[in-house]
Amino acid sequence: MNELKPWYAVATPHKDIREGRLDEAVFAANIWAVVQGTAPHVYLNPEEFYRKTYMTSGLKTVLKRVAAGLQPDGESGDRIVSLQTAFGGGKTHILVALWHLAKHADVLKRSPDGAELRNVLGERLPEEPCNVAVFTNQTCDATQGRTTPEGVHTHTLWGELAVQLGGKELYEKVRANDEAHRVPQGLFIDVLRTAAPCLILLDELADYCVGAAAVPVGETTLADQTISFVQQLTEAVQQVPGAMMVATLPASRYEVTQSEKGQEIFTTLERRFQRLGADIKPVADDEIYDVVRARLFESITPPELPDYPQQVAKIYQEMYVSHAGEVPTESTKQDYRERIARAYPFHPLLIDALYTRWGSHPDFQRTRGVLRLLASVVGDLWGRRNSNTQTQHLIQPSHLRWSIDALQAQLTRLWGIAYQSVAAADVIEDRSNAGVFDLERGGDYLREGIARGLAAAILLGSFGGQGERAGFSTKELKLAGSRYGVNWGYLDGAIMELENRCFYLHSALAGSLGKRYWFGTKPTLNKLVVQYRQQSANEDFAEEILEDLRTAAKKQPTGEATWRVIVDPGADLPEQKSLTLLILPPSLAWDDSGGDNTEVRERVLEISSRCGGKDRLYRNTLVFLAGTSRGLSRLRKAYRERTALEAIRADYWNQLDEEQRRDLKERLEKAAAATEESLGTAYTVALRVSGDDVKTCVLSDAQRTFSQHLAYLWRTLVEDEEWILRRVGLLTLEETGLVLKEGGIRLKDAIEAFLRFTDKPMIASKRAVIEGLTQACADGIIGIGRGASLSNLQKRYCNERVALDPTEEGVWIIPPFTPEPAPEVVSGGEIRRGDDTGTETSPEPAGPGAATKRTVKRIVIRGAVPIENYTELFRCFVNPAARMNLKNLHLGIDFEMELAEDQSLDPENATLKAMREAARQLGLYFEMEE
């Protein structure tokens, strides 16, 4: 077989189901209505009745026993048969079958529809119609009695049986007892001998006796007299050849009445029938599949596909085997393949759930109820077959539509009106939580109704189980919802989403079966969350977002980022003389869909140009960070979720059970993490003023926490976009006019230019300029001079590394030059100048002070030192070889060491040289005062 077909292309329901005119009365057999001729046609016509009847083992047994007992020369053994099952268990159906056997044997002997009956009985049908008496709770009113077609007014069970078995003649034998409401002692055996072969059918007798208990008879009641007569009757039937009696009893005394008297009546009748009768179960549990198929379908397969159910069963069972760890173990066995074939076109899980789970309810008519519901399901699916988009090789629990009348009626009658709200909220149609999920996913989810089908299955399995059997397990849901040819993986995601969305869906761990799911009338946390979300639907959470931004900004790790972070800057933002990151409020969202962002740009320009009521001087220190419209929308959604959960904790914590508290706690933790993560994903647009325009950088990624996100932003702007320079290089010095050919620029003015003017790159700190100039001086690109003015420079540096302090006055950037060799004092008091080779020296006598010994009393070091270098620097400064008595040592931006008054050092001291070299390597300003 190349492909499977939908069930409705193979199986054919009965005509009334196909045509949508199903009368549910056809599943409510009423033996008295058959006697009266008022029952549906299927029960009145013996041929149609047997054509639509599946011969269960219980029915076969009863037919054989009764047919044998009605034979004049036959021995039946037990002449009394007791049928005891729950409501709708098939008892009355057997009584109708016996009625037709006794009344219409002549028709059934020759009819093709009686072939199976004849096969069961071995052609031993009654030779001629037998006398049959039927008594139910509707036959004869306990108070008013009944007037029969013969004109006899009966009052009791014995009066009715006598009239029906032999008319007025036999009634006369018990007339006095009937009119007096008193038991005919020993008289009824003569009635039976005269009427034999005869069949007595008693249905709902316990219910009749409950009413009869209100009719006084002397010191007793009519119920007492009736029960006493049952004893007389059973003994009489046992003694009369050709007489048979079949009586039905409900499975439980609670099906009769809740009163103590009614339960006593049931117990007494049960004991009377069981003492002399044989109890037979009309429908065995494993026969329900065959009963359902026979009652609902004209044919299961067309003649050309006789083995089709077996083929479907093989494919589905192999699918279960391939997912063995995800389905119940029993479904992977060969026996389950046979069950699928036997239940076709239904999935056995659907029938089992109704028959065993729903059947445990005392008000659910077991066989009859299953037939009614499944007939409605078949009729619904058949009527929608041309518009159906679901895969329906089998009719599964996931194909139930709980909006059809029969299912709605049974749901509310058996389990309560509150389940209408449950079904409407979580299960039924497109507006339910399950339907909305399918609609959002679209594709196969929508075509197959994945989530709606699983929700429908869960609702079916929510009833009838006890303890750990309540609901359907994850593995059972895979049976309920999986379909050949549909992606198996859809189910796990849909189950998880239902758990997150549904208002009334409960779950619990079920060991190796995974979780167990069921719908209850008590709302879950999902319901409360939705309600609280709605309360904050119009909130923009601006203050909460700003507060969390401020908190997260304080957690920015120390390290490479040098900027200061300010959240929600106002128009009166003070001058920022160092690099500052300004995070804009959520009300200023950057439209990331290509819309108008004029408002954001104007705010950036406004803050950049104005400082309160005056022009801003330091404009090139400001970096802006804005949230995107979509990112902020997701962020507000996360805040709405967190706010709802926090409100539930505040309002409902004491009302929640332990499982709900645990669930709420987990959700709160996830919501808190989600809001923190959403901050980064919301704020992904960096802006700065470049010249007179606003330049943007959109981050392609975001980090888990906002502090990490700010570090990522820093690296992006420094390394990728090069908005921020950690060190000013040669090219930048040239572009900004700091490589001079003439004149000079004050060092402080050069640094200020980087901080003020937006046509220049931004700098991480003043050190970025200092380090760039220091390196340029060492490379001979620029010169550095010290002095009060350019015309009065005391010192000039070029081709050497010079320590610079950005706060130092009198430091100038000058054109590069070739430095003169330093003078050298030689022996004899001469001063010699020359190059490294000693050439071009000119001896001159040393002055009086030339040989004076030089001493150092104070050392000054200035600059910014990374903290990891403090230890190395300090070790060098306090080298014990110097034998210095340090009077004062300050660690910070400025380092000052002053020697004691009675101490001094030679400038060529090895320790001083080491200090000078350390300062040079660290880019620090170093000066010795002599």
Side-chain angles (χ1 to χ4, degrees), residues 267-284:
T267 302
T268 304
L269 284 173
E270 184 180 43
R271 188 163 53 247
R272 293 287 171 91
F273 283 123
Q274 289 179 347
R275 187 171 69 87
L276 293 176
D279 186 30
I280 297 174
K281 187 176 183 180
V283 180

Side-chain angles (χ1 to χ4, degrees), residues 405-434:
D405 292 342
L407 288 177
Q408 278 271 310
Q410 286 295 312
L411 179 68
T412 56
R413 187 178 72 85
L414 297 177
W415 312 110
I417 192 69
Y419 275 99
Q420 282 190 351
S421 299
V422 174
D426 288 338
V427 184
I428 296 176
E429 303 304 339
D430 297 337
R431 293 172 297 175
S432 66
N433 286 312

Side-chain angles (χ1 to χ4, degrees), residues 153-402:
H153 191 84
T154 60
H155 303 274
T156 62
L157 168 62
W158 45 94
E160 271 292 337
L161 295 183
V163 170
Q164 291 184 43
L165 289 175
K168 290 183 178 180
E169 181 181 350
L170 286 183
Y171 176 72
E172 290 299 325
K173 292 181 178 288
V174 296
R175 175 190 290 273
N177 301 85
D178 180 56
E179 292 176 345
H181 295 82
R182 296 184 181 277
V183 177
Q185 299 287 347
L187 299 178
F188 216 78
I189 191 169
D190 292 334
V191 174
L192 294 178
R193 285 172 177 160
T194 303
C198 63
L199 174 63
I200 296 174
L201 302 176
L202 304 181
D203 195 20
E204 310 288 359
L205 186 59
D207 191 60
Y208 167 79
C209 286
V210 171
V215 179
V217 179
E219 297 297 323
T220 66
T221 67
L222 182 57
D224 297 326
Q225 296 292 319
T226 302
I227 293 172
S228 177
F229 173 71
V230 168
Q231 178 70 30
Q232 297 274 334
L233 180 62
T234 53
E235 292 176 354
V237 170
Q238 289 284 27
Q239 299 177 45
V240 177
M244 287 294 300
M245 184 174 77
V246 179
T248 69
L249 283 174
S252 167
R253 64 180 183 272
Y254 298 109
E255 296 180 21
V256 180
T257 179
Q258 295 297 318
S259 70
E260 183 177 344
K261 181 63 176 177
Q263 293 177 18
E264 180 184 342
I265 290 171
F266 167 82
T267 302
T268 304
L269 284 173
E270 184 180 43
R271 188 163 53 247
R272 293 287 171 91
F273 283 123
Q274 289 179 347
R275 187 171 69 87
L276 293 176
D279 186 30
I280 297 174
K281 187 176 183 180
V283 180
D285 288 346
D286 62 349
E287 292 177 321
I288 187 61
Y289 304 141
D290 306 291
V291 172
V292 167
R293 297 203 314 183
R295 296 295 301 278
L296 302 185
F297 290 89
E298 283 185 3
S299 65
I300 297 300
T301 62
E304 66 272 16
L305 294 172
D307 297 328
Y308 185 78
Q310 287 74 22
Q311 293 173 326
V312 175
K314 178 177 182 295
I315 290 175
Y316 266 75
Q317 199 259 344
E318 288 175 350
M319 179 176 71
Y320 298 149
V321 170
S322 68
H323 296 279
E326 302 178 61
V327 295
T329 303
E330 64 177 12
S331 65
T332 64
K333 303 295 176 67
Q334 179 65 30
D335 288 349
Y336 204 75
R337 179 185 299 189
E338 296 172 2
R339 287 175 61 189
I340 296 174
R342 192 172 180 185
Y344 183 85
F346 297 100
H347 193 289
L349 184 63
L350 174 57
I351 298 178
D352 292 347
L354 289 173
Y355 193 67
T356 59
R357 290 172 179 260
W358 285 52
S360 66
H361 194 289
D363 291 334
F364 184 73
Q365 299 172 331
R366 203 174 189 196
T367 304
R368 187 184 309 165
V370 171
L371 289 171
R372 281 174 168 169
L373 292 181
L374 291 181
S376 297
V377 171
V378 171
D380 175 61
L381 295 177
W382 180 270
R384 295 187 296 115
R385 68 191 185 283
N386 293 327
S387 60
N388 167 63
T389 60
Q390 286 183 303
T391 299
Q392 292 183 12
H393 305 129
L394 297 167
I395 302 175
Q396 297 172 257
S398 57
H399 293 129
L400 297 184
R401 198 160 61 107
W402 287 95

Side-chain angles (χ1 to χ4, degrees), residues 600-901:
V600 179
R601 292 179 182 275
E602 288 180 348
R603 177 62 67 85
V604 169
L605 289 171
E606 178 187 357
I607 295 176
S608 178
S609 60
R610 300 292 293 173
C611 179
K614 60 182 181 179
D615 290 339
R616 185 176 297 280
L617 297 178
Y618 293 89
R619 300 182 62 203
N620 207 35
T621 60
L622 307 180
V623 181
F624 298 83
L625 182 62
T628 64
S629 53
R630 283 185 287 195
L632 287 168
S633 176
R634 289 190 293 268
L635 178 60
R636 290 187 180 97
K637 182 178 179 181
Y639 273 88
R640 189 168 293 111
E641 185 75 10
R642 189 180 77 178
T643 302
L645 292 170
E646 289 172 345
I648 292 170
R649 179 175 59 185
D651 296 345
Y652 284 92
W653 182 260
N654 293 331
Q655 302 176 43
L656 301 177
D657 57 34
E658 190 60 34
E659 181 183 348
Q660 289 175 319
R661 289 182 181 181
R662 184 167 55 251
D663 186 15
L664 178 58
K665 184 178 179 181
E666 292 175 357
R667 290 190 184 205
L668 278 166
E669 292 173 354
K670 291 179 181 178
T675 52
E676 185 174 14
E677 292 176 12
S678 298
L679 282 173
T681 57
Y683 279 83
T684 56
V685 179
L687 307 97
R688 62 157 295 195
V689 177
S690 179
D692 295 327
D693 194 14
V694 176
K695 190 175 182 180
T696 62
C697 168
V698 179
L699 299 179
S700 59
D701 198 0
Q703 301 300 302
R704 190 177 64 84
T705 67
F706 193 69
S707 57
Q708 293 172 344
H709 185 66
L710 293 182
Y712 167 64
L713 172 64
W714 172 266
R715 292 192 299 272
T716 300
L717 298 183
V718 171
E719 299 171 4
D720 299 337
E721 299 298 322
E722 297 184 350
W723 282 12
I724 303 170
L725 302 181
R726 283 183 287 201
R727 178 174 176 175
V728 176
L730 174 59
L731 181 60
T732 303
L733 292 176
E734 291 177 342
E735 291 176 345
T736 55
L738 296 182
V739 179
L740 304 175
K741 294 184 179 179
E742 60 182 5
I745 301 174
R746 196 188 308 269
L747 174 62
K748 292 181 69 174
D749 293 341
I751 294 174
E752 289 281 297
F754 279 97
L755 301 178
R756 291 187 179 189
F757 304 120
T758 58
D759 60 341
K760 292 177 172 52
M762 308 178 98
I763 55 174
S765 69
K766 294 179 180 181
R767 294 300 310 169
V769 180
I770 294 297
E771 291 179 5
L773 293 174
T774 300
Q775 185 62 47
C777 181
D779 295 339
I781 305 300
I782 64 169
I784 297 293
R786 281 194 169 95
S789 65
L790 279 173
S791 60
N792 188 23
L793 295 178
Q794 297 176 357
K795 292 184 179 180
R796 297 192 310 157
Y797 308 90
C798 190
N799 282 315
E800 64 176 299
R801 183 174 293 276
V802 59
L804 300 175
D805 181 355
T807 65
E808 183 182 0
E809 298 289 344
V811 180
W812 300 80
I813 303 170
I814 60 176
F817 63 91
T818 302
E820 296 180 0
E824 181 180 351
V825 179
V826 296
S827 61
E830 295 181 338
I831 297 176
R832 184 175 66 189
R833 300 181 184 276
D835 57 17
D836 294 340
T837 62
T839 61
E840 299 184 9
T841 62
S842 56
E844 62 178 71
T852 302
K853 183 178 180 181
R854 300 165 60 205
T855 60
V856 177
K857 296 295 291 182
R858 188 167 178 267
I859 301 168
V860 178
I861 301 173
R862 294 192 181 96
V865 181
I867 193 168
E868 59 267 23
N869 292 326
Y870 278 0
T871 303
E872 177 63 24
L873 189 64
F874 187 78
R875 183 191 62 77
C876 177
F877 289 170
V878 297
N879 191 319
R883 286 189 267 177
M884 293 185 291
N885 178 17
L886 301 179
K887 186 167 100 174
N888 196 5
L889 173 62
H890 301 286
L891 293 179
I893 297 298
D894 296 334
F895 294 81
E896 297 185 12
M897 297 196 311
E898 186 175 345
L899 277 62
E901 294 180 359

